[in-house]
Amino acid sequence: MRIRPLAHALLLSLAFAGAPALAQENVDKVFGGITAEAGREYGTLETVNGGITVRAGATVRKASAVNGGITIGRDARVGSAETVNGGIRLAEGAFAGSLETVNGGIRIDERAEVEDDVELVNGGITVDDEARIGGDLANVNGGIRLGQAEVGGSVTTTNGDITLDGTTVRGDLRVEKPTGWFSGRKRLPRVVIGAGSVVEGNLVFEREVELYVHPDARVGKQQGTAPLMLDRPDAPRAD
């Protein structure tokens, strides 16, 4: 998995749908959190030690934190949200151009949308029903759990479990081979493709995994581990 440079997210944010032609306000802090008030328009929000809260209906071109989480409220719009140490929450009906964190989880609520990619290194991700990710979703360590949502690109992990519960993945589903320090881990990732799930691309496993596929799921060609069916008595549940 590769993490895009922060400059890419800024370029994306300049073009995200519905953004004002000019930034209305920039806020830059070293210590302390930042709050974008409901209904207002902002340019760049940056903090080193503190979190960022974007209240319902606010518009922000870019939200960036180093040590702190980012919360994007209901129906808010953010061009890009990125943090190093902290999680990201995209509330119901909210929009983001892209989401990126190094150490922290990501939660995408119902009917929320990410136009481009969702990228993590160490952290899990949960995506609720009717949410949409336009690009790829990828992490290295941490579980990936998707409900009845859509991913326009591929879903990729190295050491995490993947659970699809009625999810549509337009690209591949991939488990990459660990390298370096991560290569010593012995636990096998578990991949559960539940009823009604669709993987239009291929199942690509560069390492051994525990794979379970429901008879009512539809998947592409498989490279690697043979699947186990979810109708087995000892099979894990997709929900």
Side-chain angles (χ1 to χ4, degrees):
M1 186 195 82
R2 60 185 179 87
I3 296 295
R4 283 185 168 83
L6 300 185
H8 169 81
L10 176 58
L11 291 174
L12 174 65
S13 71
L14 294 176
F16 84 99
L22 295 173
Q24 300 299 308
E25 181 181 356
N26 297 324
V27 182
D28 188 350
K29 289 186 175 183
V30 176
F31 298 101
I34 299 173
T35 298
E37 298 297 340
R40 293 183 57 184
E41 297 177 345
Y42 294 81
T44 299
L45 308 180
E46 295 182 314
T47 179
V48 177
N49 298 296
I52 296 176
T53 299
V54 180
R55 298 199 185 279
T59 299
V60 175
R61 194 172 295 275
K62 176 183 177 182
S64 178
V66 178
N67 298 305
I70 299 175
T71 300
I72 302 169
R74 189 169 182 172
D75 298 322
R77 299 177 66 83
V78 175
S80 66
E82 57 202 32
T83 181
V84 178
N85 298 304
I88 299 176
R89 176 75 177 265
L90 191 63
E92 180 179 355
F95 171 92
S98 62
L99 303 178
E100 180 179 330
T101 182
V102 178
N103 298 303
I106 291 180
R107 174 67 184 258
I108 299 175
D109 289 349
E110 293 182 0
R111 295 185 295 281
E113 180 180 358
V114 180
E115 185 178 46
D116 198 356
D117 296 341
V118 175
E119 299 180 316
L120 309 83
V121 179
N122 300 306
I125 179 166
T126 299
V127 181
D128 288 343
D129 294 346
E130 300 182 57
R132 182 180 181 276
I133 297 170
D136 296 331
L137 186 160
N139 75 353
V140 177
N141 301 300
I144 297 174
R145 177 173 288 274
L146 308 178
Q148 295 178 22
E150 178 181 338
V151 178
S154 297
V155 174
T156 304
T157 190
T158 300
N159 294 308
D161 296 338
I162 299 176
T163 300
L164 307 184
D165 189 7
T167 313
T168 297
V169 178
R170 302 296 182 188
D172 296 335
L173 189 152
R174 307 178 64 91
V175 179
E176 297 182 336
K177 182 179 179 180
T179 59
W181 183 82
F182 299 114
S183 62
R185 297 191 175 187
K186 301 300 182 182
R187 180 186 176 278
L188 300 182
R190 187 176 72 178
V191 177
V192 178
I193 303 177
S197 298
V198 177
V199 179
E200 294 184 350
N202 297 325
L203 304 182
V204 182
F205 303 123
E206 298 176 1
R207 59 176 298 184
E208 187 178 1
V209 302
E210 294 180 3
L211 173 64
Y212 299 85
V213 180
H214 195 280
D216 293 334
R218 179 163 59 88
V219 300
K221 295 181 180 180
Q222 182 178 326
Q223 304 172 27
T225 304
L228 302 173
M229 301 309 292
L230 280 180
D231 55 0
R232 293 175 48 205
D234 60 342
R237 294 176 59 86
D239 54 1

